[in-house]
Amino acid sequence: MPNTLKGRDIISIAELSKPEILLVLKNAQELKKHPRPKLLEGLVMGSCFFEPSTRTRLSFETAMQKLGGRVIGFADPGVTSAKKGESLYDAIKIIGQYVDVIAMRHPLEGAARRAAEATDKPIINGGDGANQHPTQTLLDLFTIQECQKKLSNLHIAMVGDLKYGRTVHSLAQALTHFGARLYFVAPDSLQMPAYICDELKTKGVKFSMHKKMEEVIGKVDIFYMTRIQGERFADPMEYEKVKNSFVLKADMLKNAKPNLKILHPLPRVNEIETAIDKTKFAYYFQQAENGLYARQALLAMVLGKI
Amino acid sequence: MKEKKLLVNAIKNGTVIDHITAGSALKIIRILNLASHEKVVTVGLNLPSKSMGRKDLIKVAERELSPDEVSSVAILAPQASINIVKNYEIVKKFKIKLPEKIESVVVCPNPKCITNHEPMASVFFILPNGKHIKLRCKYCEKVFGHDDIREYRV
Ligand SMILES: Nc1ncnc2c1ncn2[C@@H]1O[C@H](COP(=O)(O)OP(=O)(O)OP(=O)(O)O)[C@@H](O)[C@H]1O
Ligand SMILES: [Mg+2]
Ligand SMILES: [Zn+2]
């Protein structure tokens, strides 16, 4: 299949077709096995982080450098002229004249789409507020495929803050291509939003809602944990109750399938007991590493080099 | 027009927006900024209608709506009809066609949407949804019902 991502912006996972997603994963796997330290030689990535982020930014920058490209940019909007009232449009138009590709994060929703209008250079969205974060979804899919040796017909639990968590929204949407059976485990007030559930129904995806992790742990191949944040709760007592019932402990994994893998977009606070880290079920650190290969694949593809 | 009794005043020249979903006329007046139109504007609310039960109706003297204005009306009253009146007679009559997208008119209700922070036009894709419509913001990608829309820029 030809690389149809050349010159394209990667703003939202929904804009990638199934063959395109599979090609990104294939290229990520190739690059993980066979590093290509000269592939993007002579090319420059603009790393434009209008909002602080450590992992996503470092992963983009390392991805570019490991392929032989260079990086310019900023990690703190305080250093840019955005502070002086310059529009995002103008800022990106100018940066686009210096670089070959832009990776960006911005606190406002739709910022990446707006940025894409300002320049012909490809924009890769590294998160726009609560809206989209497509590279996270691609690295999640890559990791699932890697640890399960397949991507189709898996049983996948999503756990924690399913209402506000954009990673789980995008992942659930992307999994509609792959015949997954989904289990949503969350307190009632943080369950998967209706618009996502409607979309899943329309696409024939089977899913069920659960209140306790124990109900699904023995059934699934992937257990995708997310963090429940205190600020989502109006009532602090409610949060205390919920917080403690959504901590994954090693002894809860007794009935797990042997191939079960636990994922987490990180940072983790206390929702996965550290004792789990050394079990064969823990896969979240490999997942974080895979961000590097997924982003390498995307950079090389939008730049038309693979 | 001579022998027909009109529930709302006749106009010599202008536009009649008919078959407006009952309850939407005042919003349309706001969207089109008709309050500051210097000629006569007459409004009928909750008029009896054979096809709709109740409907609203707006008559604007001495003005033809531009295509952009017609699309703004479509957001609030997708089944409205537009009648152009010349010398007391209807010379043109058409049903509103829902545009695929609408630019600039609607303010995105999402306060964290980039369109509310940059000097730029909003863009919404129009999704049919029964008697009303839904709007999807091109930028923040959120979907809104017509009731969520609180502000317009015309
Ligand atoms: N000269 C006029 N001044 C003001 N309003 C008018 C004038 N002529 C017609 N109208 C109004 O314009 C609308 C359409 O007029 P028309 O005579 O075509 O009625 P209709 O047969 O009910 O049409 P429709 O099938 O669209 O309901 C009606 O609401 C009517 O009251
Ligand atoms: Mg009539
Ligand atoms: Zn918006």
Side-chain angles (χ1 to χ4, degrees), chain B residues 49-65:
Chain B
S49 157
K50 270 199 216 92
S51 54
M52 306 174 66
R54 293 179 311 135
K55 67 172 184 184
D56 290 351
L57 176 151
I58 303 172
K59 303 187 184 188
V60 192
E62 312 297 328
R63 172 150 160 196
E64 261 194 55
L65 299 184

Side-chain angles (χ1 to χ4, degrees), chain A residues 11-18 21 130-134 137 140-141 156 158 165-180 182 184 192-201 203-205 207, chain B residues 136 141-143:
Chain A
I11 309 284
S12 156
I13 192 74
E15 292 167 345
L16 299 186
S17 67
K18 179 176 177 180
I21 291 175
N131 187 31
Q132 299 287 331
H133 191 8
T137 310
D140 289 344
L141 293 171
I156 298 178
M158 300 186 184
R166 70 180 167 197
T167 45
V168 286
H169 299 167
S170 305
L171 183 58
Q173 287 168 313
L175 285 168
T176 59
H177 294 301
F178 301 104
L182 301 178
F184 300 140
M192 198 56 103
Y195 79 94
I196 303 269
C197 294
D198 290 345
E199 185 181 334
L200 297 176
K201 270 183 222 154
K203 297 197 169 148
V205 177
F207 62 89
Chain B
R136 184 162 56 83
E141 306 187 23
K142 302 238 164 351
V143 176

